[in-house]
Amino acid sequence: MNSYAPQITPRPSAATSALRLLSPQEVLRDALARYHGRIALVWSFGSESAVLLHMISRIDPATPVLFLDTGQLVAQSLDYRRNLVARLGLTDVRDLRPAYADLAVTDPRGDLWKTNTDACCHIRKVLPLDVALEGFDAWITGRKRFHGGDRLRLAVEERTPSHVKFNPLANWAKEDLDAYVAEHDLPPHPLVEFGYASVGCWPCTQPVEEGQDVRAGRWAGQDKTECGIHVTRATPGADADLGDGL
Ligand code: SF4
């Protein structure tokens, strides 16, 4: 079995399903209050990331933001990150990078993505995030159901053996995001105008055709649809919450 393959996909708890009735901002305020000082927003990039970052900046700009810099991001993403952080006034953005030892041993030439994308994502995304999240009890993601695939049953709040995860935008449609962007005049990712509906690392991101899933350009031509940071790995002695699956 591929050691990087998903083993458990947790479902949400019934006790928290009421969150789906709240607006994203209400979910964020609730999460930040309940986990004050123990919660971070994870910015793993994406063409729509400005929306959630803007919401956080309005509620508490000192919220820790964990930025996953895989070392394979497109240059436009790094420029966009710099400009967005400055514009929104976010004061605690932390760059997560792959460990030098992992790169030296597993991906010394920086081309592991050609032969094993799961292993590449593991050392460049999953492991750095695991280390960073040791300091937190909860984290916030920008995932949405309309992105399709495994995200179609996404809950607003999820529980894993180690953390609580909040997905404030789970219920939003593309139209909601577009309206928010227009209302607040948020800058789009520079690659959106070239057909990149979802932006990740340069080797694994392509533009999408009209009508395709937003994430169809990620790992195009492979079975892979997720990088692994949203997969709960089995923890000995810990059970995944199987909840009500909203
Ligand atoms: S998205 Fe591609 S380049 Fe980026 S970490 Fe995963 S496999 Fe490697």
Side-chain angles (χ1 to χ4, degrees), residues 1 34 54 63 65 101 109 113 117 126 131 141 172-173 228 234 241:
M1 187 180 117
R34 283 160 57 196
H54 181 266
T63 302
V65 175
R109 291 187 303 275
W113 56 270
T117 49
V126 176
V131 171
T141 91
W172 268 24
D241 183 344

Side-chain angles (χ1 to χ4, degrees), residues 149-227:
D150 294 342
R151 303 186 177 194
L152 284 171
R153 290 173 56 80
L154 184 65
V156 172
E157 181 174 338
E158 303 171 292
R159 289 177 185 270
T160 72
S162 57
H163 290 87
V164 176
K165 281 187 356 189
F166 293 94
N167 309 302
L169 300 176
N171 299 328
W172 268 24
K174 179 79 168 63
E175 294 72 25
D176 299 317
L177 292 168
D178 290 344
Y180 190 93
V181 165
E183 180 183 351
H184 298 284
D185 193 25
L186 297 177
H189 189 289
L191 291 184
V192 167
E193 65 173 308
F194 298 105
Y196 290 82
S198 174
V199 181
C201 298
W202 70 265
C204 305
T205 303
Q206 292 181 12
V208 298
E209 301 292 334
E210 187 81 30
Q212 279 189 301
D213 273 356
V214 168
R215 289 174 62 82
R218 305 288 293 277
W219 305 286
Q222 301 182 37
D223 289 339
K224 185 177 175 68
T225 57
E226 296 282 348
C227 63

Side-chain angles (χ1 to χ4, degrees), residues 118-140:
D118 284 341
C120 186
C121 282
H122 192 70
I123 62 168
R124 291 179 180 274
K125 293 183 179 181
V126 176
L127 292 182
L129 184 60
D130 279 354
V131 171
L133 285 176
E134 285 174 6
F136 298 96
D137 294 332
W139 51 297
I140 300 162

